[in-house]
Amino acid sequence: MQRRSTQHLSAADVEAGYALACQTTVEGDLVVSIPPQEKIERRLKESKRATKVELPFQYDIHDQPLRKYTITLEPPSMQDQSDDWSRLRRELERRYNLEGLRIQLAVLKKLGRILREGEWTVTVAVELDAWDRPDGPPCVIDIMPGERLESLWAAAIDIGTTSNHVWLVDLISGEVMAQKADYNGQIARGEDVISRIIYASKGRRDGETEKQKIEDAPILDLQSLGKGESGLEELQRLVMETLNRLIEEAAQERGISTDEIYKAVVAGNSTMIHLFAGIPPDTIRLMPFVTTINELPPLRAHAVGLNINSVGRVDCLPGVASYVGADITAGVVSSGMCKTGSLSLFVDIGTNGEMALGDCTWLISCACSAGPAFEGAGVVHGMRATAGAIEEVWIDPKSLEASYRVIGDGKPRGFCGSGLISLLAEMFVAGVIDKSGNVDLALPTERVREGEHGAEYVVVWADESAIDKDIAITAVDIDNLMRAKAAIYAGFSILARSVGLSLADVEQVLIGGAFGQYINVENAIQIGLLPDKPFESFQFLGNTSVKGAYLALLSRDMRERVKKVGEMMTYLELSADNTFFDEFSAAMFLPHTDESLFPSVTTKEERQ
Amino acid sequence: MQRRSTQHLSAADVEAGYALACQTTVEGDLVVSIPPQEKIERRLKESKRATKVELPFQYDIHDQPLRKYTITLEPPSMQDQSDDWSRLRRELERRYNLEGLRIQLAVLKKLGRILREGEWTVTVAVELDAWDRPDGPPCVIDIMPGERLESLWAAAIDIGTTSNHVWLVDLISGEVMAQKADYNGQIARGEDVISRIIYASKGRRDGETEKQKIEDAPILDLQSLGKGESGLEELQRLVMETLNRLIEEAAQERGISTDEIYKAVVAGNSTMIHLFAGIPPDTIRLMPFVTTINELPPLRAHAVGLNINSVGRVDCLPGVASYVGADITAGVVSSGMCKTGSLSLFVDIGTNGEMALGDCTWLISCACSAGPAFEGAGVVHGMRATAGAIEEVWIDPKSLEASYRVIGDGKPRGFCGSGLISLLAEMFVAGVIDKSGNVDLALPTERVREGEHGAEYVVVWADESAIDKDIAITAVDIDNLMRAKAAIYAGFSILARSVGLSLADVEQVLIGGAFGQYINVENAIQIGLLPDKPFESFQFLGNTSVKGAYLALLSRDMRERVKKVGEMMTYLELSADNTFFDEFSAAMFLPHTDESLFPSVTTKEERQ
């Protein structure tokens, strides 16, 4: 047996005979013992379905502002002709010690009917306060006949440029009861935030004619033109359709109506939040790169068209700048970065690579456009991390044959982000591609060939695939992946240097992003996506954005902490940093132009 | 010359040769001198166009919560990448000493564009407070490029069951700049509140099918069925269409956009307010006659579909009970009833006859359904008090020939409310009808005849009319008018008696209602609509409801006073009063069964 790497192993482990299965070549008969922890970890990784989200702290319903109260009223009579609302308010204020209670018009519209249907026993949903009015006044946002105290629903939402996530939360227990995710419906209108912003600026505006709109439109979409929508309106509609479908699915899974969902906390980058609220994002991409607003006022669901209770509160978490949004403030809070005193690097690898460095007495952040490659988009055979996605690849350095692991039990359909990182690393280590990412067409294997999209490496032959086609990675895909990883690493470097530190000073690397938890760290280091550090330095946190939204839903303190993080965080504008291009170019090699930064990575040649 | 009445004249006047032209028969040559005041009053009455509304008090813009501010900002730069809203808020708060400034989503949607169009000089419209949050926070409700301080518009609205009134108000000067009125578009769905409430309860509800809707609908309206509207939705749409047309006309008259109207204060009876807000009014007509809400929360225009600025504040004034609404609280405040210490009777004669008695250390109110006859509806040749309406009638007691005065210069088209009262009184005094309102078909004149709708009296022959038809009043019309006046007088009687007083104790009678100012008091007394009191006891205040809305628009104090009046006013439920039918029946005679209540009224027989 030959160990290709012992990076995750201590000297004692190696002495005890431990080896990394994926980094070890079998040279003869041997007996393999798999330690139990490892088996459990594998099972969790393989299921890759929504795993149960643990309660992040001792949840107390009183820490958040939604309540339900059941109350029985004296019916009106000729002796007491008080109007229905006064009757209800009087009793609610008295019984539950509320002051200055308000009511939404939507509830007034059914108040008379529900009071009588319930024969004067009703349950009301009340919002006691919001972040911008911590002292209230409380407001009745729903009413239903009889006693209906068994549930209190809310949703945590992450709007990624590529993927959207909805967690349905039971505010009685604080638990996440359903998790749904899908591609953002806006993808067809541009893969990254810049192309979305350009698309949003197209189309009908005050005084513009339909004709102008058609001429200006970069992508002619007859369906949306028929609706007389501007690009902005269309993008808002598209993301709302995705979110509303996910909310509907989550509600169906729990057998509830979406009207029972009384609140949504929303995280996402600044462009996504602007589009979600229907606010033109155009200034985000123009010097000096400012948003219209970093911290939206609390909205009502009907104002944006989110399919929860129409007067349910929609709380968009605050961002910091055009390219460091609420996904990062939420992520930093949910990462626990602020709890340790050690220097931490937080990175959310999504379509944008956003990152923050600090120890929470200070925080500095930046963002770089990574493109959607790591989310399985913008790659010929890319796909989301769902059933059929190849999530890990191994290439035999001798035969150059590929083996892989697929999510679910079926045949492979394509690569998800972690699979792509794994594949890129294996190709590099096995010599299928060189430091510059060029496929070596001279290699003695049919898997390497000139394909439709240039040179490519076939991972799955058509007869083994679920799509009856060869599943290959092309030169264009490789270039996209290289750009993505180079942009992110350049960001790390500049962030550290801007505060007079180096990446070597970083004590822990906290990795967010929906697919972050499935990254093979060693692969990520091998391609130079993550800095070369011991395995223990890395923590994989999954979707820290939706987790942050979830925390803000559970607790006023957490909501406040997201705001504080946003206020404290310094934003470094990479586009104004004249060293970015140099750092990016230097990182456009595998693992990096400066190999001394990646001492643990050895290429095939070096090994030979 | 023969004086038929000297009621409005003092003994000295009579001695000095004064005579009432309309109550005097010319028996030979004579010279008539018209006193100057009288001429002015006549001119105002005759023009009957919107007369200028005097400022009710020394107006100070600071007494109301809308403001405009012009401000110039430092543009953003790479050194200051603050988001647009933070930049604007910071400067507004500093310059104008505002705290916790908010912004509406609708303004955020154009904020970035307007700031740049205005090259960082903009004017914002700010609402500092509302009645339910007197301490703010202030909120930006509009933004426009450059300096735009010249105007600040708002609207006072009265939603009558029959007529709707819109006053466009310039909040810089406090003056009413345009007045528009029209029939409430709901009229086709029922003439009084009860039929509107029944109509509102029809049609689609949760779980109801379109088929059920058709079967249940009392009036099959294919157009509205096509829209899938419930009766309630249809009525809300209809009144909104009327109001929006009036707002549009008023805006056009002043050359402004309706988006520049930032606030509307709305008065109306409780049913009208419920329908305006889309709240089902059904409990209003069912024992024990309660509303869903007497004092609506402040709304935004888009929530009801009112065509002012979409986030403009809509403040529905508070009512007291199902049948004493905001039209009465507003009316009482605008009548000045609370300023005098004398016992006053306030009455708003509209489709409902609503009235209040008191001296503002106490107030008691009631309502009776008068029907729309006094508003020119529900009468064959009834019409609104616009050009072509006969507003006063004289019948020669000998020849039984009619003469009349028409609004405007043209030929007559029909009768407005004041014309109907005048006609009824003249017919009674001249003996065309008897105490019970029966037309005497035996009279020697062609004007009395059996018509399509029973016995009738022709006021205008076809060749003199603008409609090429005889304009007559029918037995059915007379019965409607008798019922209306009887209901109102019964209300007066019961109200006074309920507090141990008699109508004789009333020191002043304050008459509201759109047409109130054009009533001929003597005629109104002659038919027993108003109590028999000296002319000086009556004040004709016009549309006190819209005036109250106007006052509430001009001043927070006035808004507060409307609320106080509502809280102070005791409501007497006539339907629960077992003396109502007796009082009503007693008043179904001209002027009344008990003639001693009307000593000044003499019939033809008595005079003969």
Side-chain angles (χ1 to χ4, degrees):
Chain A
M1 145 181 126
Q2 185 198 326
R3 289 186 176 92
R4 293 200 312 193
S5 164
T6 54
Q7 201 196 7
H8 299 173
L9 301 175
S10 62
D13 284 340
V14 174
E15 196 135 333
Y18 277 90
L20 298 171
C22 62
Q23 297 295 326
T24 302
T25 319
V26 177
E27 296 176 324
D29 292 349
L30 81 170
V31 175
V32 178
S33 306
I34 300 171
Q37 315 92 291
E38 185 70 4
K39 275 196 285 193
I40 291 162
E41 200 187 312
R42 298 294 292 174
R43 188 174 54 73
L44 283 176
K45 276 197 179 175
E46 276 164 16
S47 83
K48 204 164 276 193
R49 293 160 153 273
T51 53
K52 187 170 163 58
V53 178
E54 295 299 321
L55 267 178
F57 43 73
Q58 185 74 30
Y59 173 69
D60 182 340
I61 192 171
H62 298 97
D63 291 343
Q64 61 79 43
L66 284 180
R67 296 286 183 282
K68 268 189 182 171
Y69 303 116
T70 295
I71 199 155
T72 298
L73 307 175
E74 277 297 310
S77 64
M78 295 304 277
Q79 285 66 51
D80 178 3
Q81 289 181 311
S82 302
D83 61 88
D84 289 346
W85 166 235
S86 299
R87 182 177 305 274
L88 176 63
R89 186 188 55 207
R90 204 165 55 197
E91 199 60 15
L92 278 172
E93 289 185 343
R94 192 182 66 77
R95 282 271 301 277
Y96 297 104
N97 202 24
L98 303 170
E99 221 172 295
L101 191 63
R102 313 290 168 95
I103 188 166
Q104 288 284 313
L105 180 60
V107 186
L108 282 173
K109 289 184 179 184
K110 59 180 173 179
L111 179 62
R113 177 168 59 85
I114 300 291
L115 284 171
R116 287 160 184 84
E117 267 180 38
E119 291 173 345
W120 305 95
T121 294
V122 292
T123 299
V124 293
V126 173
E127 184 190 49
L128 294 178
D129 50 72
W131 67 263
D132 67 337
R133 45 180 186 85
D135 302 322
C139 184
V140 175
I141 57 173
D142 201 7
I143 185 167
M144 53 221 95
E147 187 181 308
R148 291 287 306 280
L149 297 175
E150 70 285 359
S151 63
L152 187 61
W153 295 98
I157 294 177
D158 166 48
I159 309 177
T161 309
T162 303
S163 299
N164 294 346
H165 295 258
V166 170
W167 286 7
L168 182 62
V169 178
D170 171 6
L171 288 177
I172 304 287
S173 67
E175 287 189 2
V176 177
M177 303 303 282
Q179 300 174 50
K180 299 289 168 187
D182 200 356
Y183 278 132
N184 185 330
Q186 297 172 341
I187 282 187
R189 303 291 173 267
E191 289 190 342
D192 53 29
V193 294
I194 298 299
S195 50
R196 302 275 172 87
I197 293 170
I198 292 169
Y199 192 85
S201 71
K202 301 295 176 183
R204 186 178 286 176
R205 284 260 193 106
D206 305 344
E208 248 186 24
T209 64
E210 188 75 1
K211 186 161 165 293
Q212 279 176 309
K213 190 187 169 204
I214 292 170
E215 284 165 358
D216 287 354
I219 300 166
L220 195 62
D221 179 338
L222 287 172
Q223 204 180 3
S224 76
L225 285 178
K227 296 185 184 179
E229 277 181 328
S230 67
L232 173 62
E233 286 162 348
E234 186 186 349
L235 291 180
Q236 186 183 26
R237 175 175 57 79
L238 288 170
V239 71
M240 221 55 79
E241 283 173 3
T242 301
L243 295 175
N244 289 345
R245 192 174 58 246
L246 296 176
I247 291 168
E248 182 67 44
E249 287 171 11
Q252 275 181 7
E253 185 174 315
R254 306 310 306 187
I256 65 165
S257 154
T258 55
D259 285 344
E260 295 178 65
I261 305 171
Y262 292 119
K263 185 172 178 177
V265 175
V266 181
N269 66 53
S270 300
T271 301
M272 288 303 112
I273 296 292
H274 276 57
L275 294 175
F276 172 78
I279 301 170
D282 35 312
T283 56
I284 289 178
R285 77 177 181 97
L286 302 171
M287 278 271 273
F289 313 110
V290 299
T291 62
T292 290
I293 187 164
N294 287 335
E295 184 164 36
L296 275 165
L299 306 171
R300 296 279 172 200
H302 62 76
V304 291
L306 193 69
N307 186 26
I308 63 172
N309 187 290
S310 73
V311 294
R313 178 67 75 198
V314 175
D315 178 9
C316 295
L317 295 176
V320 174
S322 278
Y323 297 107
V324 171
D327 46 351
I328 301 311
T329 52
V332 164
V333 168
S334 77
S335 75
M337 187 169 177
C338 298
K339 282 190 215 149
T340 73
S342 51
L343 181 64
S344 305
L345 176 66
F346 170 82
V347 54
D348 184 338
I349 304 176
T351 313
N352 271 353
E354 293 141 340
M355 54 203 73
L357 180 69
D359 63 8
C360 279
T361 57
W362 61 273
L363 279 166
I364 184 163
S365 65
C366 73
C368 42
S369 180
F374 290 141
E375 299 187 71
V379 167
V380 175
H381 287 288
M383 65 178 287
R384 265 180 21 88
T386 54
I390 294 171
E391 59 171 346
E392 197 148 15
V393 179
W394 299 270
I395 297 177
D396 184 296
K398 284 178 186 153
S399 66
L400 302 176
E401 284 300 296
S403 52
Y404 47 84
R405 189 173 63 241
V406 177
I407 301 173
D409 292 327
K411 289 180 172 181
R413 311 182 59 85
F415 307 105
C416 64
S418 57
L420 287 166
I421 288 172
S422 170
L423 173 56
L424 193 66
E426 286 289 307
M427 287 196 295
F428 173 55
V429 169
V432 175
I433 55 176
D434 64 15
K435 280 172 164 295
S436 301
N438 299 312
V439 177
D440 183 356
L441 284 167
L443 288 174
T445 170
E446 287 182 314
R447 289 188 182 265
V448 166
R449 68 188 186 192
E450 191 73 44
E452 270 180 78
H453 303 278
E456 60 185 29
Y457 174 80
V458 181
V459 177
V460 184
W461 296 111
D463 56 354
E464 294 165 10
S465 85
I467 57 171
D468 292 331
K469 276 191 288 191
D470 295 345
I471 299 175
I473 183 161
T474 72
V476 175
D477 298 341
I478 293 168
D479 193 53
N480 280 338
L481 288 164
M482 298 267 291
R483 287 177 179 280
K485 77 98 187 172
I488 289 168
Y489 193 84
F492 293 155
S493 307
I494 294 172
L495 211 51
R497 214 183 44 224
S498 74
V499 287
L501 295 169
S502 95
L503 285 175
D505 301 317
V506 171
E507 291 164 85
Q508 59 173 352
V509 183
L510 306 169
I511 301 176
F515 90 109
Q517 65 199 109
Y518 306 113
I519 295 182
N520 177 312
V521 183
E522 187 151 21
N523 287 160
I525 294 172
Q526 282 165 336
I527 65 169
L529 167 63
L530 294 179
D532 196 355
K533 292 191 170 289
F535 185 70
E536 311 80 62
S537 315
F538 296 93
Q539 280 184 46
F540 300 92
L541 305 168
N543 186 333
T544 46
S545 179
V546 73
K547 274 185 192 160
Y550 170 52
L551 293 180
L553 203 50
L554 294 185
S555 141
R556 296 181 186 93
D557 280 355
M558 285 294 170
R559 176 61 179 79
E560 178 67 16
R561 204 172 290 180
V562 174
K563 191 174 165 63
K564 287 266 167 65
V565 161
E567 286 163 358
M568 191 204 317
M569 200 181 274
T570 306
Y571 173 64
L572 186 69
E573 178 66 56
L574 286 191
S575 63
D577 188 300
N578 48 23
T579 67
F580 180 77
F581 187 72
D582 292 343
E583 288 286 354
F584 175 74
S585 302
M588 270 298 282
F589 286 82
L590 295 174
H592 195 272
T593 308
D594 181 356
E595 288 177 12
S596 72
L597 294 169
F598 289 86
S600 84
V601 180
T602 54
T603 62
K604 191 177 180 186
E605 298 95 65
E606 288 162 356
R607 284 194 309 278
Q608 280 166 346
Chain B
M1 147 181 125
Q2 185 199 323
R3 289 187 178 91
R4 296 199 309 194
S5 163
T6 55
Q7 200 195 7
H8 301 175
L9 301 174
S10 63
D13 285 341
V14 175
E15 196 134 333
Y18 277 90
L20 299 172
C22 60
Q23 297 295 328
T24 302
T25 319
V26 178
E27 295 176 327
D29 291 349
L30 81 170
V31 175
V32 178
S33 305
I34 301 170
Q37 316 92 292
E38 184 70 4
K39 274 196 286 192
I40 290 162
E41 201 188 310
R42 297 295 291 176
R43 189 174 53 75
L44 282 176
K45 276 197 179 174
E46 276 164 17
S47 82
K48 203 162 277 192
R49 293 162 153 272
T51 53
K52 187 170 161 60
V53 178
E54 296 298 321
L55 265 179
F57 42 73
Q58 185 74 30
Y59 173 70
D60 182 340
I61 192 171
H62 298 98
D63 291 343
Q64 62 79 43
L66 284 181
R67 297 286 184 281
K68 267 189 183 172
Y69 303 117
T70 295
I71 199 156
T72 298
L73 306 176
E74 277 297 309
S77 64
M78 295 303 278
Q79 285 67 49
D80 178 4
Q81 288 181 310
S82 301
D83 60 88
D84 289 347
W85 166 234
S86 298
R87 182 177 305 275
L88 175 63
R89 187 188 55 208
R90 205 165 55 196
E91 199 60 15
L92 279 171
E93 288 186 344
R94 192 183 65 77
R95 282 271 302 277
Y96 296 104
N97 203 24
L98 303 170
E99 222 172 296
L101 190 64
R102 311 291 168 96
I103 189 166
Q104 287 284 313
L105 180 59
V107 186
L108 281 174
K109 288 183 180 185
K110 59 179 173 179
L111 180 62
R113 177 168 59 84
I114 300 292
L115 283 171
R116 287 159 185 83
E117 266 180 39
E119 293 173 343
W120 305 94
T121 294
V122 292
T123 299
V124 292
V126 173
E127 184 190 49
L128 294 178
D129 50 71
W131 68 263
D132 68 336
R133 44 181 185 85
D135 302 321
C139 184
V140 175
I141 57 174
D142 201 7
I143 185 167
M144 54 222 94
E147 187 180 310
R148 291 287 306 280
L149 297 174
E150 72 284 359
S151 64
L152 185 62
W153 295 99
I157 294 178
D158 166 47
I159 308 176
T161 310
T162 303
S163 300
N164 294 346
H165 295 258
V166 170
W167 286 6
L168 182 62
V169 179
D170 171 6
L171 288 177
I172 303 287
S173 67
E175 287 189 2
V176 177
M177 302 303 282
Q179 300 174 51
K180 299 290 168 187
D182 200 355
Y183 279 131
N184 185 330
Q186 298 172 341
I187 282 186
R189 303 291 172 266
E191 288 189 343
D192 54 28
V193 294
I194 298 300
S195 49
R196 302 275 171 89
I197 293 170
I198 293 169
Y199 192 84
S201 71
K202 300 295 177 182
R204 186 178 285 176
R205 285 259 194 106
D206 305 343
E208 247 187 24
T209 64
E210 188 74 1
K211 185 160 165 293
Q212 279 176 309
K213 190 188 170 202
I214 292 171
E215 283 166 358
D216 287 354
I219 299 166
L220 195 61
D221 179 337
L222 288 173
Q223 204 179 4
S224 75
L225 284 178
K227 296 185 184 180
E229 277 180 327
S230 66
L232 173 61
E233 287 162 347
E234 186 186 350
L235 291 180
Q236 186 183 26
R237 175 175 57 78
L238 288 170
V239 71
M240 220 56 77
E241 283 172 4
T242 300
L243 295 175
N244 288 344
R245 193 174 56 248
L246 296 176
I247 291 168
E248 182 66 43
E249 287 172 12
Q252 275 180 8
E253 186 174 315
R254 306 311 306 188
I256 65 164
S257 154
T258 54
D259 284 344
E260 295 177 64
I261 305 171
Y262 292 119
K263 185 171 178 178
V265 175
V266 181
N269 66 53
S270 300
T271 301
M272 289 302 113
I273 296 291
H274 275 58
L275 294 176
F276 171 79
I279 301 170
D282 35 312
T283 56
I284 289 178
R285 77 177 181 96
L286 302 171
M287 277 272 273
F289 313 109
V290 299
T291 62
T292 290
I293 186 164
N294 288 334
E295 183 164 37
L296 274 165
L299 306 172
R300 297 280 172 199
H302 63 76
V304 291
L306 192 69
N307 186 25
I308 62 172
N309 185 292
S310 72
V311 294
R313 179 66 76 199
V314 175
D315 179 9
C316 295
L317 294 176
V320 173
S322 278
Y323 297 106
V324 172
D327 47 351
I328 300 312
T329 52
V332 163
V333 168
S334 78
S335 75
M337 187 171 178
C338 298
K339 282 190 217 150
T340 73
S342 51
L343 182 64
S344 305
L345 177 66
F346 169 81
V347 55
D348 184 338
I349 305 176
T351 313
N352 270 353
E354 294 141 339
M355 54 204 73
L357 181 69
D359 62 7
C360 279
T361 56
W362 59 274
L363 279 165
I364 184 164
S365 64
C366 73
C368 42
S369 181
F374 290 141
E375 300 188 71
V379 168
V380 175
H381 288 287
M383 64 178 288
R384 269 185 12 96
T386 53
I390 295 171
E391 60 171 347
E392 197 147 16
V393 179
W394 300 270
I395 297 176
D396 186 295
K398 284 177 187 157
S399 66
L400 302 176
E401 284 299 296
S403 53
Y404 47 83
R405 190 173 62 241
V406 177
I407 300 173
D409 292 328
K411 290 181 171 180
R413 311 182 59 85
F415 308 104
C416 63
S418 57
L420 287 165
I421 289 172
S422 169
L423 173 57
L424 193 68
E426 285 290 306
M427 288 196 295
F428 174 54
V429 170
V432 176
I433 55 175
D434 64 14
K435 281 172 162 295
S436 302
N438 299 313
V439 177
D440 183 357
L441 284 168
L443 288 173
T445 170
E446 288 182 314
R447 290 188 181 265
V448 165
R449 68 186 185 192
E450 192 73 42
E452 270 179 77
H453 304 278
E456 62 184 29
Y457 174 79
V458 181
V459 178
V460 184
W461 296 111
D463 57 354
E464 294 165 9
S465 85
I467 57 171
D468 292 331
K469 277 191 288 192
D470 295 346
I471 299 175
I473 184 162
T474 72
V476 175
D477 298 341
I478 293 167
D479 192 54
N480 279 338
L481 288 165
M482 299 268 290
R483 288 178 177 279
K485 78 99 187 170
I488 289 168
Y489 193 84
F492 293 154
S493 307
I494 294 172
L495 210 51
R497 214 183 41 226
S498 74
V499 288
L501 296 169
S502 95
L503 286 175
D505 301 317
V506 171
E507 292 165 84
Q508 61 174 352
V509 182
L510 306 170
I511 300 177
F515 91 108
Q517 65 199 110
Y518 306 113
I519 295 181
N520 177 312
V521 182
E522 186 150 23
N523 288 159
I525 294 172
Q526 283 166 334
I527 66 169
L529 167 63
L530 294 179
D532 196 356
K533 293 192 168 289
F535 185 71
E536 311 80 63
S537 316
F538 296 93
Q539 281 184 45
F540 300 93
L541 305 168
N543 186 334
T544 46
S545 178
V546 73
K547 272 185 193 160
Y550 170 52
L551 293 180
L553 203 51
L554 294 185
S555 142
R556 295 182 187 92
D557 280 356
M558 285 295 169
R559 176 61 180 79
E560 178 67 17
R561 205 172 289 179
V562 175
K563 191 175 165 63
K564 286 267 169 62
V565 161
E567 286 163 358
M568 191 205 313
M569 199 180 274
T570 307
Y571 173 63
L572 187 68
E573 178 67 56
L574 286 191
S575 63
D577 188 299
N578 49 23
T579 66
F580 180 77
F581 186 73
D582 293 343
E583 288 287 353
F584 175 76
S585 303
M588 271 296 282
F589 286 82
L590 295 174
H592 195 274
T593 309
D594 181 356
E595 288 178 12
S596 71
L597 294 170
F598 290 84
S600 84
V601 180
T602 53
T603 63
K604 193 178 178 183
E605 299 95 68
E606 287 164 356
R607 282 196 308 278
Q608 280 167 345

